[in-house]
Amino acid sequence: MIRTAIVGTGGIAGICHVPALRAQAHRVEIVAAVDVDALRAEDFAAEHGIPAVHTDLRTMLREQRPDVVHLCTPPFLHAEQAVACLESGAWVWCEKPVALSLAELDRIQAAEGPAAAGAVFQHRYGSGARHLRERIAAGTLGRPLVAQCVTAWYRDDAYYDVPWRGTWRSEGGGPTLGHGIHQMDLMLDVLGPWAEVRAMAGRLDRDVQTEDVSAALVRFENGALATVVNSVLSPREESYLRFDLTDATVELRHLYGYSNADWTFTARSPGATWEPPDDLPSSHTAQLAAFLDGYEKGLRPDLGRPTMELVTALYKAAITGLPVRRGEIDTADPFYGSLHGGRPEVFR
């Protein structure tokens, strides 16, 4: 059995990670829960039948020796905790955003050895996304030309009362990093490498340090152009992706997860169909199955660096007002170490 520990016992751990682990009960056992709040950790462990409770990550790693650790903590803790887990020999499955900068992401990757780390990007793993990737690869939908990627969510002022939210130091960024990253990751998974970004961002209505909305134009290496919007100011919430190819338009409308019913297919010519062979919803359950398959085979999971590169480029383009090309943000670039590029007051 694969010995698993959950670090951070807030909502995402109970709502998404525990059900995903229970679905893999034939090969996984949850051996420990970790939280700095001892009472919350104890309540979580009691609710889910977890035998060991800890308030310190390194103590848990030393005493429980888990094979895999699920990191469900606030973003500013991810890099340090992921490195500690990897150095102990445990694989890591980390909630988004995995890191607050490319520098932190590279620090995590540098700590990999026999153990490896992966990011939670569950939208790649639904059957609709898989079917679209396969159809594009096979050429049955034609060539990708235009895309729209919209994360139009709503977070009120009370949402930002949580101390670590809304600051560069602890959340790392606004909806571009913490909310829209899922849709952007799926867009990249479908369309492949991006080439250039132009963007704008602002703090329009929330009392935060970061942006509360951003908009970008992305050119891909295959020539396709995409518009990207990330917002926490949208009362009618929606996650929307649209792909216009030479022979069809494929759309996805959902909020936090999709099934086959959330996809719409419009063919340019009569007779073309959209029929995924199965109906696997996008979920932590779907991705965890793939993550564990890789663990058992010794295949390293994806930490999502191309997506983090796009996020970083979007911030740089918005803050500097200049186009950013893929690969130009190296270790000497101020945006490599932080998404505000050394200008934390830019949106104040």
Side-chain angles (χ1 to χ4, degrees):
M1 295 290 281
I2 301 170
R3 293 170 55 82
T4 302
I6 298 176
V7 181
T9 58
I12 197 73
I15 294 170
C16 297
H17 285 260
V18 170
L21 286 163
R22 295 301 185 215
Q24 297 294 320
H26 59 286
R27 56 176 169 172
V28 170
E29 60 177 332
I30 309 174
V31 299
V34 182
D35 201 295
V36 293
D37 186 327
L39 181 58
R40 183 166 66 180
E42 290 168 0
D43 289 345
F44 183 87
E47 178 183 357
H48 300 293
I50 301 171
V53 174
H54 293 266
T55 57
D56 180 73
L57 171 62
R58 292 182 184 274
T59 300
M60 184 278 292
L61 292 170
R62 184 174 61 253
E63 295 184 1
Q64 302 298 330
R65 307 300 300 177
D67 302 307
V68 175
V69 174
H70 292 225
L71 290 183
C72 306
T73 49
F76 69 97
L77 297 172
H78 288 171
E80 180 180 351
Q81 291 179 335
V83 169
C85 293
L86 292 166
E87 289 178 344
S88 78
W91 286 46
V92 174
W93 196 38
C94 186
E95 272 296 336
K96 58 81 183 169
V98 173
L100 304 189
S101 66
L102 286 171
E104 284 194 354
L105 196 71
D106 288 347
R107 181 187 170 203
I108 295 171
Q109 289 191 310
E112 293 183 324
V120 174
F121 282 128
Q122 71 271 24
H123 292 334
R124 300 183 194 176
Y125 293 84
S127 52
R130 184 179 69 243
H131 188 62
L132 178 57
R133 287 193 303 270
E134 292 172 350
R135 293 286 297 271
I136 290 177
T140 61
L141 302 179
R143 182 165 53 91
L145 300 173
V146 182
Q148 297 176 45
C149 177
V150 178
T151 301
W153 291 2
Y154 187 81
R155 299 293 183 266
D156 60 15
D157 291 330
Y159 174 83
Y160 292 100
D161 288 341
V162 177
W164 59 264
R165 288 179 178 151
T167 69
W168 292 110
R169 182 191 66 81
S170 55
E171 194 169 20
T176 311
L177 174 69
H179 303 84
I181 194 168
H182 276 306
Q183 312 313 317
M184 289 187 287
D185 178 76
L186 181 51
M187 176 183 67
L188 291 180
D189 194 48
V190 170
L191 294 180
W194 61 276
E196 181 181 345
V197 179
R198 300 169 186 258
M200 301 175 72
R203 183 184 65 83
L204 305 185
D205 200 53
R206 296 291 176 267
D207 185 17
V208 295
Q209 293 178 357
T210 65
E211 88 288 0
D212 53 19
V213 64
S214 68
L217 177 64
V218 181
R219 179 170 59 84
F220 286 81
E221 285 190 355
N222 61 15
L225 293 177
T227 56
V228 178
V229 174
N230 302 295
S231 166
V232 288
L233 306 178
S234 306
R236 188 185 72 79
E237 296 186 281
E238 181 178 54
S239 301
Y240 176 65
L241 282 162
R242 173 173 174 146
F243 301 96
D244 292 314
L245 303 100
T246 52
D247 295 329
T249 293
V250 182
E251 297 171 272
L252 171 62
R253 294 183 184 273
H254 68 112
L255 188 51
Y256 302 133
Y258 63 81
S259 66
N260 284 354
D262 298 306
W263 293 82
T264 302
F265 177 76
T266 305
R268 185 175 63 85
S269 302
T273 61
W274 174 265
E275 297 177 354
D278 56 1
D279 190 358
L280 179 66
S282 66
S283 66
H284 286 66
T285 298
Q287 185 177 356
L288 180 60
F291 180 93
L292 294 176
D293 288 345
Y295 170 82
E296 292 177 334
K297 297 174 183 176
L299 302 176
R300 294 182 178 277
D302 185 0
L303 202 51
R305 198 178 199 283
T307 302
M308 190 63 182
E309 288 174 345
L310 175 61
V311 168
T312 305
L314 199 157
Y315 277 104
K316 181 178 181 179
I319 292 171
T320 65
L322 300 172
V324 177
R325 290 170 176 80
R326 188 166 66 93
E328 77 172 55
I329 301 177
D330 58 18
T331 57
D333 193 297
F335 287 89
Y336 176 78
S338 66
L339 293 179
H340 55 64
R343 299 162 60 180
E345 300 301 317
V346 65
F347 297 126
R348 297 295 287 178

